[in-house]
Amino acid sequence: MKIRHYLEESIQKVLSEVFSLEVGIDELQINVTRPEFAGHYTLVVFPLAGRMRMPPPTAAEKIGAALLADYRFTAYNVVKGFLNLTIDSTLWMELLEEVRYTKDYGQLSSRKETVMVEFSSPNTNKPLHLGHVRNILLGWSMYEILRAAGYQVLRTQIINDRGIAICKSMLAWEKWGNGKTPESANMKGDHLVGEFYVLFETEFRKEYMSWQETRESQRIFEIDSDKGESAEAFFGRYKNQYFNSHSTLGAEARQMLRKWEEDDPYVVELWRRMNQWVYDGFEKTYERLGVSFDHIYYESETYLLGKSIVAKGLDQNLFYKKDDGSVWVDLEEQKMDHKILQRSDGTSVYITQDLGTAEQRYEDHDADRMVYVVADEQNYHFDVLFAISELLKRPYAGGMHHLSYGMVELPHGKMKSREGTVVDADDLMDEVISEARAIALEKGEVNSLSKTEQQSIVEKIGMAALKYHMVRVQPQRRMVFDPEESVDMQGQTGPYIQNAYVRIQSILRRSASEDRVDYYKYSPSKHEMDLLVQLSEYPEEIGKAAEAYDPSIIANFAYRLAKLYHKFYNEHRVLSAESDEAKEFRLGLSQGVANVLSSSMNLLGIQMPDKM
């Protein structure tokens, strides 16, 4: 029994049959009744009153009376233009039976629409880090939420396995690696390659600082610096120009990139070897995070298709070539500027491979929508990508969406991958699980279990702390991740929600052998009704989260449900209830809450332990 669905249909029928007013369900504004008023749901009558040619309070009274006469409502009250409705208790009991015994309660009807969600999409020059963790968890949650909302969903990533950044790591290994491998260094391959990326940057900074002492640098400063600009400010912003125009290391890295694009055997073999080290490391991290992919794309494969798209755009006069041979697109009509699509030496840029990847994905899967989970630093990039796809009149252009999210920081500040100040995803997981282990051992409830059972529970608690903390904030907001705060059993955390579930499992284990009693005539208390209303809203919350591309809607729903259950538990006896009917109802209610807590947390990639 979907309470909200019944409510919407009943109001729609009353408006049509009694008032000759045809209103779509999407036009009805229905909210859960505020706690200070009697009722379960509230209809906002103001938008309807004008069409009914009545003052809002009068329209609300008439609608309420009509619902009470012919439908399963037991009371109503009017507050100005708000109609508060009380729904017949038998409907709530039917809902409870559904929540208690239906495995997939909350899932919406199947839709004939395929959505592809791209997330993670790392570079192969460094390990996955804290920023990737938020990206991965948002992407995975959206995959699960969209599936629950009835869509056919594909998980994908584009691995940025070529380009100047990758060549920096390769060049550093070639110059200073002395043949080191993950095995000889006893390190994960992605961590080893990341060390060489940092080493390149360290050596490049030394080179740049030395160059700043030369006459050539002083001459450039005198010519190119803005009026009144300090040398420190000028050389701070000139760093990229120096890399491209003057740097010996920069020239070597660019030469390596050109050799790669020319299929130089040595460079390609080194590239394959070091990338494989990284892939092996990524796979271990993904496995620990509990994520996987249906299709992985590689920039090294799609950039060529992107270059062919650029060539076609040139032939169609949609793009233009500058005197130096570089290819550009004019997006001034789209209220953007001119964007480079291909460098003067013929090498591609990020937008080139993204054009090729979108085309390849459409050919492979004919997806109706493509959702890109990428940080808000790339907002402009995706505006350009979507605008170019529209310009090229690609059939998938209208279904492209950028799930933009704010960067994540630690309490002590930002991270910089080139300077080696990034927190690796592996280290982050270790730290959170360590925090969870300390709390679990302090509470003492897992001490009687085997080491294997203890480790399994601690892993679930730690990963719940990490994952929940990352997705509870709206994606567009920047956030600070505090490992210690994330495991707080009393805060808005994953472990707090897990604790409600574990409490219920303990109750259910102690009642497992008892016979069922009919509880349909039981009259629920205020706390019990609050839980029923919250359970009834679960399908609605899934729909909202899918439409808004926002997993925090589910995260906050799960927290509210757990908080309500803790309140209910503190106010009501379950196994020693005042009557058999109350006991059976509360057992059913507890089971329903446990089911929905488990289901909603699963949408966030979080597993529930039976004990804590």
Side-chain angles (χ1 to χ4, degrees), residues 128-417:
L128 300 169
H129 57 64
L130 176 60
H132 287 116
V133 172
R134 189 178 193 197
N135 179 304
I136 291 165
L137 297 179
L138 286 172
W140 184 266
S141 296
M142 281 316 309
Y143 157 71
E144 292 285 10
I145 289 166
L146 287 164
R147 280 208 312 160
Y151 295 97
Q152 305 298 312
V153 192
L154 293 164
R155 300 155 293 179
T156 187
Q157 62 171 325
I158 174 73
I159 294 184
N160 300 299
D161 63 339
R162 61 167 293 282
I164 196 67
I166 282 76
C167 287
K168 289 177 181 179
S169 297
M170 292 164 58
L171 182 62
W173 184 89
E174 184 183 51
K175 294 174 78 69
W176 305 297
N178 298 316
K180 188 181 288 188
T181 67
E183 291 75 23
S184 68
N186 194 28
M187 291 176 67
K188 282 181 72 203
D190 52 337
H191 287 209
L192 179 64
V193 172
E195 282 195 356
F196 284 108
Y197 181 64
V198 172
L199 178 58
F200 179 93
E201 183 65 20
T202 301
E203 295 299 322
F204 170 69
R205 283 203 303 269
K206 290 179 184 176
E207 181 191 278
Y208 188 40
M209 293 298 293
S210 297
W211 179 79
Q212 290 176 41
E213 302 299 323
T214 65
R215 289 184 177 179
E216 180 187 23
S217 71
Q218 296 306 309
R219 180 182 60 81
I220 290 173
F221 170 66
E222 291 170 4
I223 296 172
D224 292 349
S225 62
D226 296 334
K227 186 175 181 181
E229 185 177 21
S230 67
E232 182 180 4
F234 172 76
F235 287 117
R237 67 177 176 83
Y238 193 76
K239 186 177 178 183
N240 288 340
Q241 181 62 41
Y242 168 78
F243 178 86
N244 291 318
S245 304
H246 308 282
S247 168
T248 300
L249 285 173
E252 290 181 280
R254 292 194 306 277
Q255 176 66 11
M256 183 169 276
L257 178 59
R258 282 192 292 271
K259 285 185 176 182
W260 181 89
E261 293 205 3
E262 293 165 0
D263 262 347
D264 178 272
Y266 169 78
V267 172
V268 170
E269 191 281 327
L270 176 62
W271 168 77
R272 284 183 177 145
R273 189 183 348 149
M274 293 184 69
N275 273 356
Q276 191 58 54
W277 294 346
V278 176
Y279 299 149
D280 293 342
F282 284 172
E283 191 56 39
K284 291 177 182 177
T285 306
Y286 288 141
E287 184 178 355
R288 198 172 180 190
L289 284 168
V291 304
S292 57
F293 299 89
D294 299 304
H295 196 147
I296 297 176
Y297 291 87
Y298 298 89
E299 182 185 351
S300 58
E301 298 171 355
T302 62
Y303 88 102
L304 291 173
L305 179 54
K307 290 177 79 168
S308 71
I309 291 171
V310 170
K312 289 178 183 177
L314 271 173
D315 291 341
Q316 297 168 357
N317 294 320
L318 297 173
F319 308 146
Y320 68 94
K321 187 176 285 190
K322 287 190 176 182
D323 292 340
D324 65 359
S326 58
V327 180
W328 295 71
V329 60
D330 179 357
L331 295 175
E332 288 187 355
E333 284 190 14
Q334 290 81 4
K335 297 183 179 178
M336 289 178 273
D337 55 11
H338 294 243
K339 176 68 177 176
I340 187 170
L341 302 178
Q342 192 168 287
R343 298 186 186 95
S344 58
D345 61 3
T347 57
S348 61
V349 294
Y350 276 120
I351 202 77
T352 321
Q353 65 93 359
D354 277 345
L355 288 167
T357 303
E359 190 74 16
Q360 189 64 60
R361 286 174 178 166
Y362 184 73
E363 291 178 6
D364 290 342
H365 300 288
D366 194 21
D368 299 286
R369 279 193 265 167
M370 298 182 195
V371 179
Y372 297 81
V373 183
V374 184
D376 57 11
E377 292 180 328
Q378 298 296 324
N379 284 352
Y380 176 74
H381 173 87
F382 283 98
D383 288 343
V384 170
L385 175 64
F386 301 164
I388 294 174
S389 298
E390 291 279 2
L391 193 65
L392 292 167
K393 298 181 179 178
R394 304 314 302 142
Y396 47 81
M400 302 172 92
H401 177 81
H402 177 203
L403 198 173
S404 172
Y405 65 90
M407 300 299 287
V408 55
E409 300 175 6
L410 291 168
H412 53 69
K414 294 182 179 181
M415 307 177 298
K416 296 181 181 179
S417 56

Side-chain angles (χ1 to χ4, degrees), residues 415-435:
M415 307 177 298
K416 296 181 181 179
S417 56
R418 287 182 296 181
E419 296 176 10
T421 59
V422 163
V423 175
D424 292 333
D426 303 304
D427 295 338
L428 181 66
M429 287 187 279
D430 287 341
E431 182 176 353
V432 177
I433 289 170
S434 178
E435 293 278 356

Side-chain angles (χ1 to χ4, degrees), residues 28-96:
L28 298 175
Q29 295 182 29
I30 299 172
N31 305 310
V32 174
T33 301
R34 289 166 55 179
E36 62 265 34
F37 299 110
H40 301 137
Y41 282 94
T42 298
L43 172 66
V44 182
V45 180
F46 294 100
L48 305 172
R51 296 169 65 181
M52 295 171 67
R53 301 182 184 279
M54 299 178 191
T58 304
E61 283 283 352
K62 290 186 176 295
I63 295 170
L67 287 169
L68 211 62
D70 294 317
Y71 295 87
R72 296 165 75 177
F73 297 87
T74 57
Y76 72 90
N77 64 85
V78 175
V79 180
K80 298 181 179 178
F82 299 95
L83 173 60
N84 302 317
L85 295 161
T86 301
I87 299 168
D88 187 272
S89 63
T90 59
L91 283 177
W92 293 110
M93 298 305 173
E94 290 173 18
L95 169 76
L96 182 54

